[in-house]
Amino acid sequence: MPTSYDAIILGAGAAGLMCAARAGQRGKRVLVLERAEKPGKKILISGGGRCNFTNIGAGPTNYLSANPHFAKSALARYTARDFLDLVESYGIAWHEKTLGQLFCDSSAKQIVEMLLEECAKGDVTVRCSEEVTSVAHGDGFAVTTQTGTYTAPALVIATGGPSIPKMGATGFAYDLARQFGLKVVEPRPALVPLTLGGEEVLFRDISGVSAPVVATANKTGFAEAALFTHRGLSGPAILQASSYWRPGEPLFVDFIPERTAEWLMDAKRGNPRSGVRTQLREALPARLADILADKLGLDGDLGNLPDKALRSAGERLKRWTFHPNGTEGFAKAEVTVGGISTAELSSKTMQAKRFPGLYAIGEAVDVTGWLGGYNFQWAWASGVAAGDAL
Ligand code: FAD
């Protein structure tokens, strides 16, 4: 093991390992320091253990950031196809589940093994159970862990975001960034279930029911499934919308995405003797249909209900307004929105503009992907951008 390194990478997660492999294979002497007892723990639990390792359609519009243009360069230079080529070169079998989401057929472990093999090809040193406690800057960077101090002229922050603290995730990246004077965009939980209170707690009675909807927050809508839970709302459509939702704002849900607001009026014309609840149950899971009918105050045959009431019910079902009273927080958030400000970094190299030698990649940076493999694609692409620049 060399005693001096060209670069130290903090965090052996998706971004850190990718960055280390690229730099190592370019002949750089690279040390990766990881606090956990093994590398890639989030990769191992991702995608239900099968790792949704990329999304074949990943592009800049699938990401949230204070600067929506920032991710363009890295994503264009290392694409989902590039990562898939790497996966295939290791003979890892994969499949597309839905909406361009690519998963391992077998196990997420294969992705971690592949990244470690790539690191080995570049003679990268990966040291686990090394929690970085402080970083000093003088003639290069001096990184202290409980076992010693390591130095290098370049330092990469790849310690991720604070989502899922019980896995050891922390806001360490932000503390470090602030130490070096870099701005941090306020982090908040994303891809996270939303909680309901007040009158909306009634929906908790249908915990376990799911339905295809379009969920919209802050003018951004997602057509996927919503799931009612004992605390509020979850399911892919809600998780996606949660990244755009802000406390105090409404969340709109279209419960009848395949139908128009005129649908109950059309049904009335076609079959006035049909019950309104029967109509709702045809369009929606029965328990959800009943609770919505109660809330809309609808009962009886369509023919006996005024046109105005049916039109208004159709409109409300197309744009049901929920008032979430919060999220389930970082404890349940798959990712973090916000992080080290992109204004501080070069979009080509991920190097801090005001602090040469300091880099930040992956989830630590204010670039957050949708659900569906986009977050790993950012980790790979930003890791490559820094790894090629170190
Ligand atoms: P991480 O992978 O979190 O790596 C950071 C590393 O830094 C960790 O290993 C951590 O232990 C280490 N570290 C932290 N502090 C210190 C310190 N002080 N000293 C040393 N080391 C430290 N995204 C997808 O695209 N597809 C999915 O299928 C998917 N599934 C997910 C499932 C779950 C349950 C969760 C929580 C997330 C999922 N994500 C998924 C998101 C994805 O895991 C992250 O976006 C991605 O791991 C970020 O990579 P990263 O390298 O930036 O951070």
Side-chain angles (χ1 to χ4, degrees):
M1 192 173 68
T3 48
S4 68
Y5 297 93
D6 295 318
I8 299 175
I9 297 175
L10 308 184
L17 290 174
M18 185 56 131
C19 179
R22 290 291 284 219
Q25 290 180 23
R26 287 176 46 245
K28 301 289 167 186
R29 289 160 306 166
V30 180
L31 171 67
V32 183
L33 296 172
E34 167 58 52
R35 67 184 285 188
E37 71 292 356
K38 60 180 179 187
K41 277 176 93 173
K42 267 195 192 168
I43 302 175
L44 293 173
I45 59 153
S46 69
R50 290 218 166 86
C51 187
N52 177 191
F53 56 78
T54 193
N55 191 296
I56 204 66
T61 54
N62 306 115
Y63 294 85
L64 293 86
S65 172
N67 176 1
H69 303 292
F70 181 80
K72 281 184 181 168
S73 169
L75 290 171
R77 281 177 301 133
Y78 192 80
T79 64
R81 184 68 243 179
D82 291 326
F83 190 75
L84 189 54
D85 286 345
L86 181 64
V87 166
E88 289 180 333
S89 74
Y90 277 76
I92 299 172
W94 58 274
H95 62 280
E96 180 181 338
K97 198 168 169 192
T98 174
L99 302 171
Q101 301 167 7
L102 308 190
F103 286 74
C104 297
D105 284 359
S106 170
S107 164
K109 223 169 124 189
Q110 294 173 294
I111 299 293
V112 176
E113 283 166 1
M114 175 188 85
L115 292 168
L116 291 176
E117 182 61 35
E118 285 291 295
C119 283
K121 282 184 193 166
D123 281 329
V124 172
T125 304
V126 180
R127 289 180 64 94
C128 291
S129 302
E130 290 265 20
E131 176 156 7
V132 177
T133 50
S134 69
V135 177
H137 183 257
D139 186 16
F141 295 88
V143 177
T144 303
T145 71
Q146 75 281 22
T147 61
T149 296
Y150 307 89
T151 57
L155 183 77
V156 183
I157 305 175
T159 50
S163 41
I164 321 279
K166 84 168 186 263
M167 287 190 62
T170 66
F172 180 75
Y174 313 143
D175 299 341
L176 208 51
R178 288 191 189 103
Q179 179 191 328
F180 290 107
L182 308 188
K183 288 196 196 74
V184 173
V185 175
E186 194 196 343
R188 54 192 173 85
L191 300 181
V192 64
L194 298 173
T195 54
L196 296 176
E199 280 193 359
E200 291 174 337
V201 295
L202 273 179
F203 283 98
R204 294 184 190 171
D205 292 349
I206 57 166
S207 165
V209 169
S210 88
V213 303
V214 178
T216 302
N218 237 317
K219 300 194 180 100
T220 310
F222 293 90
E224 286 188 67
L227 171 72
F228 291 91
T229 72
H230 65 288
R231 295 192 64 191
L233 298 166
S234 188
I238 304 297
L239 297 180
Q240 298 276 34
S242 76
S243 301
Y244 291 84
W245 180 80
R246 298 276 187 160
E249 289 180 359
L251 172 85
F252 301 107
V253 173
D254 178 353
F255 281 116
I256 47 169
E258 303 291 322
R259 293 170 160 80
T260 68
E262 280 289 297
W263 148 66
L264 288 172
M265 278 301 298
D266 294 342
K268 178 178 175 177
R269 278 183 219 108
N271 189 1
R273 296 179 71 184
S274 167
V276 67
R277 285 180 186 246
T278 312
Q279 285 299 321
L280 288 173
R281 280 172 169 229
E282 270 174 26
L284 296 156
R287 289 166 69 205
L288 175 59
D290 289 348
I291 207 169
L292 291 174
D294 289 346
K295 288 209 156 260
L296 291 166
L298 290 179
D299 218 343
D301 289 352
L302 289 169
N304 293 333
L305 289 164
D307 292 359
K308 202 175 156 202
L310 293 178
R311 285 212 171 89
S312 144
E315 278 157 19
R316 281 191 67 195
L317 290 169
K318 292 256 6 124
R319 198 173 158 82
W320 196 272
T321 310
F322 284 101
H323 301 279
N325 62 4
T327 75
E328 291 196 28
F330 284 116
K332 292 283 162 63
E334 202 163 300
V335 287
T336 307
V337 161
I340 299 172
S341 170
T342 56
E344 303 282 3
L345 306 173
S346 152
S347 62
K348 295 209 165 45
T349 62
M350 304 292 138
Q351 185 169 199
K353 292 175 189 163
R354 295 187 286 141
F355 220 107
L358 181 66
Y359 296 74
I361 55 175
E363 198 179 320
V365 178
D366 173 32
V367 173
T368 309
W370 291 359
L371 186 76
Y374 301 100
N375 283 296
F376 279 137
Q377 187 55 38
W378 170 246
W380 316 136
S382 58
V384 166
D388 286 354
L390 278 167

